[in-house]
Amino acid sequence: MFLRSSLRRIQHLTQRHIKTTVVASEMPDSLRSTLVSNDYRTVECNIAAQSKLHEGKFYTIPSDVKKQLFSGGGFPKQFENQLKTFTETCLMIRQPALELIQYIQNTDFSKPTTRYVIYGENGVGKSLALAHVLHYGYQNDFVLVHVPWVPNWMKRPKEIANASQEGFIDLPFDAAAWLLHFKNHNSKLLGKLDLKTSKDYIWSKRESTPAGSTLLELVEHGIARIKFASGIITNLLAELKLHATASRCKVMVAIDGYNAFFHPETRILTDNKQSVSPDRITLTQPFLNITKYDWINGVCVLVIDKIGMTEGFMESYMPRYLLGRTGFEHLDPFVPVRIQNYNDKEFHSCIQYYLDRHWIQKTPDGFEEQLKHMSNKNPYCVMQLTRSL
């Protein structure tokens, strides 16, 4: 009730000032540029060179890179829709992501793989922090192992089938879609690295992948023959660990909604209408294996999220609660990275960017303070509350 009345108040404030203010969308570009400062943007798109000087500013991801990295997912749906309206892809450089990237830059990759766990309340920008780190990995020649949103597999699989291993459920279409996502990310880099399979893989009496085949050939077989896609993911990730440990490549594992692997239940039902636990899904174990610390030349950046849980399991956003005992022990030790609401500088930059993109067109006196109070500077709330303005 308070949110509705406050939103009406903002809209009322804007209507009162329509006759005395110039609507931003009707301004000439030259006039608009004088009213909306440009200190919320930076031209520094080399993420390794971004520093505290760039905190709170937006940088642009080129459209071809955005298509390569995020065409298979990685941005929240509402943010993706916003990008279509803005006709560009910009991410804010925020302190937690910047600090995490600096940790990765200073990593001794001869040591066991470090696991970072991004956590925080709903809507604070956890997935966008992961996207920022993923872009860094792309720019710095990491082989990317990216899962855009694990709960999609556990709640909304495209199709299910009984796996060859008794008691397990296979998600063949989702597995093939992930292999295509992996190929889009890494095809150019894998072509340069020329990584080979270490042994023969037998899929059927007539189908096999001999030792010495390229990893791209292994991936393409899984895309073409979705029946074997889940098994190919298992072997692909095992091969990547071997190559990284042999110092032939660096691997970045980036998984959003990672806690869904340890959730007590899924929405997948057996033929007997029994709920299947995540550990009985064939896609689970390969991604648990690659997030262990028994290999080198890798880094794991994992997001845990209350939204990845089902009703009755959303009481806290803390890692110990969302991962449960099994998940927490699987990752321990890990480095926690907390994402919080905007600070004042980030909030102001966001408003300036929204003005520039015409997402906000009217800003009467007191608008910014009222919006700050209503949204508590939560990025998602700011986006939602300004939709109609």
Side-chain angles (χ1 to χ4, degrees):
M1 181 67 75
F2 169 75
L3 188 60
R4 267 188 218 157
S5 62
S6 298
L7 186 54
R8 283 198 297 269
R9 188 176 172 192
I10 281 188
Q11 292 170 335
H12 177 63
L13 278 170
T14 62
Q15 291 167 1
R16 281 175 52 196
H17 289 262
I18 283 177
K19 293 183 180 180
T20 58
T21 56
V22 180
V23 177
S25 61
E26 296 175 355
M27 291 182 187
D29 289 341
S30 58
L31 177 59
R32 183 178 187 81
S33 64
T34 64
L35 295 181
V36 180
S37 66
N38 204 33
D39 61 354
Y40 57 89
R41 282 185 185 266
T42 178
V43 296
E44 184 56 79
C45 295
N46 176 14
I47 299 173
Q50 292 171 356
S51 67
K52 283 184 174 293
L53 294 174
H54 305 100
E55 277 185 26
K57 297 186 178 184
F58 286 85
Y59 82 97
T60 303
I61 299 178
S63 57
D64 59 326
V65 175
K66 190 262 183 181
K67 183 178 180 181
Q68 181 179 352
L69 290 183
F70 302 108
S71 59
F75 289 140
K77 184 177 180 181
Q78 295 90 336
F79 184 78
E80 186 69 55
N81 292 336
Q82 194 182 57
L83 296 182
K84 294 175 183 177
T85 303
F86 293 170
T87 65
E88 67 174 8
T89 303
C90 287
L91 292 180
M92 184 186 287
I93 301 167
R94 301 187 66 193
Q95 185 272 334
L98 199 60
E99 186 176 346
L100 202 165
I101 289 165
Q102 289 170 347
Y103 288 158
I104 296 173
Q105 287 177 309
N106 295 325
T107 294
D108 181 354
F109 285 101
S110 66
K111 305 295 184 182
T113 299
T114 304
R115 286 81 58 83
Y116 299 93
V117 175
I118 297 174
Y119 72 103
E121 276 286 7
N122 291 344
V124 293
K126 299 183 294 295
S127 295
L128 298 187
L130 183 67
H132 193 176
V133 175
L134 189 73
H135 190 198
Y136 167 81
Y138 169 78
Q139 288 184 342
N140 290 274
D141 291 336
F142 282 83
V143 177
L144 302 177
V145 177
H146 175 226
V147 181
W149 188 236
V150 175
N152 281 341
W153 294 342
M154 307 302 172
K155 296 180 179 181
R156 296 172 290 274
K158 293 179 173 66
E159 182 178 292
I160 65 173
N162 291 322
S164 56
Q165 189 175 355
E166 187 177 351
F168 280 74
I169 296 294
D170 198 10
L171 310 179
F173 281 92
D174 291 284
W178 186 85
L179 286 171
L180 182 60
H181 184 59
F182 176 87
K183 180 183 175 183
N184 290 338
H185 278 183
N186 301 294
S187 56
K188 292 180 182 178
L189 180 59
L190 289 180
K192 294 177 184 177
L193 296 173
D194 196 32
L195 303 177
K196 309 285 189 179
T197 54
S198 60
K199 60 181 180 180
D200 295 337
Y201 292 106
I202 308 300
W203 309 113
S204 68
K205 291 181 179 179
R206 297 183 178 181
E207 297 175 88
S208 65
T209 302
S213 301
T214 66
L215 293 192
L216 274 178
E217 290 173 335
L218 185 66
V219 170
E220 285 165 357
H221 187 73
I223 295 170
R225 296 284 287 133
I226 64 172
K227 176 181 179 182
F228 307 118
S230 294
I232 285 174
I233 289 176
T234 300
N235 296 315
L236 170 67
L237 299 188
E239 291 283 354
L240 284 175
K241 287 177 69 173
L242 289 174
H243 285 296
T245 301
S247 299
R248 300 187 191 101
C249 64
K250 295 184 299 182
V251 178
M252 175 179 284
V253 181
I255 303 178
D256 202 347
Y258 182 78
N259 51 300
F261 285 132
F262 301 98
H263 194 42
E265 59 190 38
T266 70
R267 291 179 182 169
I268 300 172
L269 302 178
T270 65
D271 295 337
N272 298 325
K273 304 301 180 185
Q274 298 292 317
S275 177
V276 178
S277 59
D279 62 331
R280 311 303 286 180
I281 307 296
T282 54
L283 284 177
T284 297
Q285 197 57 48
F287 291 99
L288 295 189
N289 286 341
I290 204 169
T291 52
K292 292 179 179 179
Y293 57 88
D294 58 351
W295 56 295
I296 63 172
N297 276 311
V299 60
C300 298
V301 185
L302 315 169
V303 176
I304 58 173
D305 200 317
K306 285 197 294 186
I307 300 174
M309 312 295 273
T310 54
E311 296 76 7
F313 296 92
M314 299 182 178
E315 295 177 7
S316 172
Y317 63 86
M318 299 301 288
R320 179 62 180 83
Y321 176 82
L322 291 178
L323 289 167
R325 180 177 177 179
T326 303
F328 194 89
E329 290 179 352
H330 174 78
L331 291 179
D332 191 40
F334 62 85
V335 180
V337 180
R338 184 182 179 187
I339 312 292
Q340 301 188 65
N341 289 335
Y342 287 147
N343 59 34
D344 286 341
K345 180 182 179 180
E346 292 170 339
F347 179 79
H348 181 70
S349 290
C350 179
I351 298 304
Q352 295 301 303
Y353 180 68
Y354 281 179
L355 281 167
D356 178 66
R357 293 290 93 191
H358 299 214
W359 187 256
I360 299 174
Q361 297 188 350
K362 315 175 191 72
T363 55
D365 294 340
F367 166 82
E368 202 163 313
E369 283 302 315
Q370 177 105 13
L371 182 59
K372 187 184 293 186
H373 175 69
M374 288 175 58
S375 66
N376 196 29
K377 295 184 287 188
N378 178 276
Y380 177 76
C381 289
V382 172
M383 180 178 69
Q384 292 296 98
L385 288 169
T386 54
R387 282 189 308 175
S388 58
L389 304 177

